[in-house]
Amino acid sequence: MAASDHPTTPPGPPGRGRAPRPVGTITRGTTGTNRLRRMDRWIAHTAAGPLRLAERPPIAVDLGYGAAPWTAVELSARLRAVRPDVRVVGIEIDPARVAAAAPYAEEPLLTFRRGGFEVPLDGARAQLIRAANVLRQYDEDAVAEVWERLCGRLAPDGLLVEGTCDEIGRRHVWVALGPEGPRTVTFAARLGSLGRPSDLAERLPKALIHHNVPGRPVHAFLADFDRAWAAAAPYAAFGARQRWAAACAALAADWPLVDARGRRRQGEVTVAWSALAPR
């Protein structure tokens, strides 16, 4: 699923007895098993506290899960390890995809329904909305409006994770947002296949990918990361994780990294959104 060119334009009035038209347009829906494992692992760690503290069974949304329901099924399993009664709702704009996912439902813990950026939850608010590879195919000008719409569907301590990964989940970049807006940007990779950190540039979210040019913050960040990675080459003798950790430690001297050092051993690094925001 992806947004239309004007994703926040409200649909026309529904016909009698019809539900409002979902906000968005149908896309290729490319998906695959285990593709979002790195993002899910980070979500399970970051959102664990609010998920466990929720008074009622929290709702997590897999927005735009694609032509097959695997990412929603996997998200449900991974979040249940944190909060056993979490309810995952897979939302797709294509009714055929919703019908195809129905056999995989485990009510009330895993359900599927038709919808788009309006995130139909029958009046409830989501503790988590994950929108992976959803905004890739539409205009950058619409990102802020989509973010605002999705953040408006979050619980007060909810989390929106929006980003992009490659086809087999080796490289990810995502933005984490709360109801107030963007907070952080996380870069994650299978380190054994990473030539240099700037290889992740091709997976930047739509809000950043067109700003990876000289003079812009995200370009400067990746250039500094490449230099730190090169300087950390001697650590490669101890493994790619040690080299990544050393490069991140050097990077922290000039950039506001906000993750715990232990997360970096997972092939992740998280930086404050304010440092990379387009300007």
Side-chain angles (χ1 to χ4, degrees), residues 8-276:
T8 58
T9 300
R16 181 173 297 178
R18 296 181 183 177
R21 186 176 62 195
V23 179
T25 56
I26 299 172
T27 61
R28 295 176 303 174
T30 304
T31 188
T33 57
N34 225 22
R35 186 182 185 187
L36 301 182
R37 61 194 179 278
R38 299 181 193 282
M39 185 182 287
D40 287 353
R41 182 174 61 198
W42 184 89
I43 287 170
H45 170 79
T46 303
L51 285 170
R52 289 172 177 150
L53 291 173
E55 293 183 4
R56 298 179 179 179
I59 297 173
V61 171
D62 186 11
L63 182 63
Y65 55 83
W70 316 133
T71 60
V73 172
E74 292 168 350
L75 180 64
S76 179
R78 288 161 181 158
L79 293 185
R80 281 189 226 176
V82 175
R83 174 76 185 244
D85 63 349
V86 64
R87 299 185 177 187
V88 172
V89 182
I91 294 178
E92 250 298 338
I93 202 166
D94 184 352
R97 294 174 184 174
V98 178
Y104 298 89
E106 300 178 48
E107 295 192 23
L109 298 181
L110 175 61
T111 57
F112 299 91
R113 67 186 305 170
R114 188 181 183 216
F117 291 108
E118 77 282 3
V119 190
L121 295 175
D122 300 325
R125 290 188 178 273
Q127 193 68 47
L128 166 72
I129 299 174
R130 185 188 65 187
N133 304 303
V134 170
L135 309 187
R136 185 78 169 174
Q137 298 182 45
Y138 78 96
D139 293 340
E140 181 190 350
D141 291 345
V143 171
E145 293 185 27
V146 172
W147 280 359
E148 183 177 3
R149 179 185 284 272
L150 296 180
C151 287
R153 303 298 293 120
L154 293 174
D157 56 350
L159 180 70
L160 165 63
V161 179
E162 187 274 303
T164 305
C165 69
D166 66 358
E167 289 74 10
I168 57 175
R170 294 175 302 175
R171 299 173 184 175
H172 290 245
V173 187
W174 61 81
V175 180
L177 306 92
E180 78 286 355
R183 296 172 175 172
T184 61
V185 184
T186 298
F187 298 78
R190 182 181 182 274
L191 298 179
S193 65
L194 188 70
R196 55 184 181 178
S198 62
D199 290 347
L200 288 161
E202 64 184 15
R203 298 301 162 184
L204 286 167
K206 180 61 73 170
L208 293 174
I209 194 165
H210 299 300
H211 297 274
N212 184 33
V213 294
R216 300 295 179 88
V218 68
H219 184 273
F221 174 80
L222 289 171
D224 282 357
F225 207 169
D226 278 354
R227 283 190 286 270
W229 178 255
Y235 288 89
F238 304 103
R241 289 185 178 184
Q242 294 296 330
R243 183 179 183 181
W244 177 269
C248 290
L251 198 63
D254 299 305
W255 293 91
L257 306 189
V258 296
D259 53 347
R261 292 184 180 181
R263 298 306 305 172
R264 298 173 194 170
R265 291 188 56 79
Q266 304 295 327
E268 300 169 5
V269 65
T270 299
V271 61
W273 166 260
S274 58
L276 303 187

